[in-house]
Amino acid sequence: MNNFDLQNPTKILFGKNQIANLSKEIPENAKILMLYGGGSIKKNGVYVQVIEALTNFDVIEFGGIPANPEYAVLMDALQVIKDENITYLLAVGGGSVIDGTKFLSAAALYEGKEPWDILVKNIRTLKGMPFGTVLTLPATGSEMNSGAVITKAETKEKFAMGGSGLFPQFSILDPEVIKSIPKRQIANGLADAFTHVLEQYMTYSVDAKLQDRFAESILQTILEVAPTILKDPSDYKAASNFMWSCTMALNGLIQKGVPSDWAIHMIGHELTALFGIDHACTLAIITESHYTYNLESKKEKLAQYAERVWNVTEGTIEEKALAGIKKTTEFFQSLGIKTTLSEYTDDYKGTAQIISKRFTDRGWKGLGEYGKVTPSDVEKIVEMSY
Ligand code: NZQ
Ligand code: ZN
């Protein structure tokens, strides 16, 4: 096992009616900017619950943060923060609203001229404006981690940012919010969380037995609840297991002391930036080709995954590894997610070269757990996913 530091300061309030406890988590004299997305919270009762809980606070609202939070929209919100002397941010939404809020938390205290630099120059945020979240869509884990991903539509770019100053102070996780989520977004949440675990697990063994079993248990739980939650999002038992699995998949715990990969995400972000494909779907497109291309270095872990998560008992290490890859693709397809790029766009030819060139231009020499997946490897992986 590798050395590690572990500190996660986010307080979680989990369960039914927890939104009512919101007021206890925010300082009394706070001037709050409440941020939300395209309006789903106004239809499903979450908005009313939040407003009721904040009766005694000074609150300004900023709605309209789109999926794949857009820089230009966030810059409008930043202006409101400055004009209104906001002291506390409250995100009410899914990963996009929470990520947008993290960007604002960083940008509000940023002393440089151009906040986009936080993303392109990968400036870590050690102190941001304090914020909390009310999660409405289990998927990203953003509610309990310190990362965010922001899009600039103008240049078709999507970059990650983060830093220890960007953990939410608290997050409210009420599984009842899942009732109103469209099937497509539930499928996305399942696939995204599943891939988060894979990115931190499908590397090479450092004999971290507990981390491996944490990871496998999250994968197994997602597989177990997926059919139920897809069929009936108001099933509270399935909803609570789904929600907590998504949070645990990316709150830092399972990655401690082990190598991690993240190449699927780095390539996937480019597909969202170029074609607007949903984040989780981009992962489903890249996973099989990435694992097949890197079979040699990942086969032991792939075989362990096939055995322990999919009960594959027959065959050599390679055969088990390949069976594990196949099962993963079938799982994505069982959620209704398409797994090749050409199923999303007719304009796919040349994508591999564009992404590879972008990585070269950015000086990204090697991705993955060994840092050895070069832009030329990326080109081949993307080509395999057409
Ligand atoms: O905007 P509204 O109207 O709220 O509708 C949203 C949106 O259209 C809707 N929705 C959310 N909760 C709902 C609901 N509809 C009905 N009932 C509810 N309770 O769902 C749609 C998608 O929402 P979004 O927040 O975009 O989805 P998700 O949570 O999947 O977030 C995706 C973003 O997170 C980033 C992705 O790249 C993408 O930009 N990620 C963030 C990560 C992180 N911070 O750690 C890690 C991930 O790997 C990922 O990259
Ligand atoms: Zn993801």
Side-chain angles (χ1 to χ4, degrees):
M1 196 185 301
N2 302 334
N3 290 5
F4 63 86
D5 295 351
L6 171 59
Q7 185 173 25
N8 189 316
T10 302
K11 176 176 177 182
I12 296 292
L13 287 84
F14 188 97
K16 276 182 198 176
N17 305 321
Q18 286 281 24
I19 298 175
N21 293 319
L22 187 53
S23 61
K24 296 177 201 151
E25 304 304 322
I26 302 180
E28 271 172 25
N29 57 355
K31 180 141 190 208
I32 304 171
L33 184 63
M34 172 184 166
L35 297 127
Y36 54 91
S40 68
I41 62 165
K42 295 210 167 154
K43 295 185 207 135
N44 60 12
V46 172
Y47 177 83
V48 176
Q49 289 181 62
V50 171
I51 292 295
E52 263 172 27
L54 295 178
T55 311
N56 296 323
F57 286 88
D58 189 355
V59 187
I60 291 179
E61 294 177 25
F62 186 96
I65 296 179
N68 305 312
E70 163 58 29
Y71 185 67
V73 175
L74 296 172
M75 290 305 281
D76 291 342
L78 185 60
Q79 199 55 51
V80 176
I81 291 173
K82 292 192 170 152
D83 292 347
E84 302 289 342
N85 298 317
I86 297 296
T87 62
Y88 203 96
L89 306 174
L90 178 67
V92 185
S96 293
V97 173
I98 299 176
D99 282 11
T101 302
K102 287 179 179 173
F103 168 77
L104 291 169
S105 162
L109 305 192
Y110 180 62
E111 285 175 355
K113 252 191 178 166
E114 178 50 70
W116 184 245
D117 285 347
I118 300 171
L119 291 137
V120 266
K121 295 188 180 160
N122 196 12
I123 298 170
R124 308 296 291 170
T125 301
L126 303 180
K127 189 176 186 314
M129 181 173 279
F131 69 99
T133 89
V134 176
L135 179 68
T136 65
L137 173 53
T140 63
S142 190
E143 66 278 8
M144 201 179 175
N145 70 38
S146 59
V149 194
I150 305 298
T151 297
K152 203 179 200 179
E154 195 189 332
T155 50
K156 295 195 173 175
E157 288 173 296
K158 188 172 186 191
F159 285 114
M161 57 178 283
S164 56
L166 292 181
F167 283 98
Q169 286 194 333
F170 68 87
S171 284
I172 298 185
L173 278 58
D174 177 349
E176 293 208 302
V177 301
I178 294 168
K179 280 182 198 165
S180 63
I181 303 176
K183 200 170 176 173
R184 165 178 152 201
Q185 298 298 348
I186 292 197
N188 282 347
L190 291 161
D192 192 21
F194 197 84
T195 313
H196 292 159
V197 179
L198 294 180
E199 296 266 35
Q200 301 162 88
Y201 168 91
M202 207 63 80
T203 55
Y204 55 89
S205 173
V206 291
D207 207 23
K209 296 182 190 306
L210 186 58
Q211 288 90 326
D212 277 4
R213 289 197 164 91
F214 279 152
E216 288 151 3
S217 66
I218 298 171
L219 296 172
Q220 286 167 319
T221 308
I222 292 171
L223 291 175
E224 188 177 329
V225 300
T228 315
I229 197 67
L230 270 178
K231 202 164 135 222
D232 179 11
S234 64
D235 183 315
Y236 187 80
K237 284 185 201 160
S240 35
N241 283 298
F242 168 40
M243 195 170 226
W244 189 228
S245 295
C246 292
T247 303
M248 290 301 289
L250 193 50
N251 66 359
L253 181 71
I254 66 170
Q255 81 177 37
K256 294 300 166 189
V258 298
S260 49
D261 181 346
W262 294 111
I264 298 169
H265 271 70
M266 302 316 279
I267 303 170
H269 289 331
E270 299 305 317
L271 296 179
T272 302
L274 291 168
F275 301 107
I277 300 171
D278 287 356
H279 169 65
C281 301
T282 69
L283 310 176
I285 293 169
I286 298 299
T287 300
E288 178 169 323
S289 47
H290 178 56
Y291 289 163
T292 309
Y293 185 83
N294 292 293
L295 186 69
E296 204 42 46
S297 63
K298 287 182 181 287
K299 65 184 177 193
E300 272 84 18
K301 224 45 200 297
L302 276 162
Q304 177 180 316
Y305 158 74
E307 281 169 21
R308 293 193 189 174
V309 177
W310 293 105
N311 303 316
V312 173
T313 51
E314 304 287 313
T316 61
I317 288 198
E318 277 82 4
E319 284 163 352
K320 285 181 182 167
L322 288 168
I325 296 173
K326 189 158 173 278
K327 293 273 186 197
T328 310
T329 302
E330 286 167 3
F331 169 59
F332 293 143
Q333 290 167 344
S334 77
L335 303 174
I337 295 181
K338 297 171 189 129
T339 51
T340 60
L341 184 57
S342 57
E343 289 172 282
Y344 293 87
T345 171
D346 293 332
D347 197 21
Y348 59 89
K349 285 188 194 117
T351 306
Q353 288 74 20
I354 293 170
I355 295 178
S356 165
K357 182 170 182 310
R358 281 184 158 196
F359 286 6
T360 307
D361 292 348
R362 287 179 203 154
W364 291 4
K365 293 197 174 66
L367 306 179
E369 61 273 24
Y370 295 103
K372 284 185 179 168
V373 180
T374 64
S376 128
D377 295 320
V378 168
E379 186 173 328
K380 291 178 190 121
I381 292 165
V382 177
E383 258 173 3
M384 282 166 70
S385 74
Y386 286 174

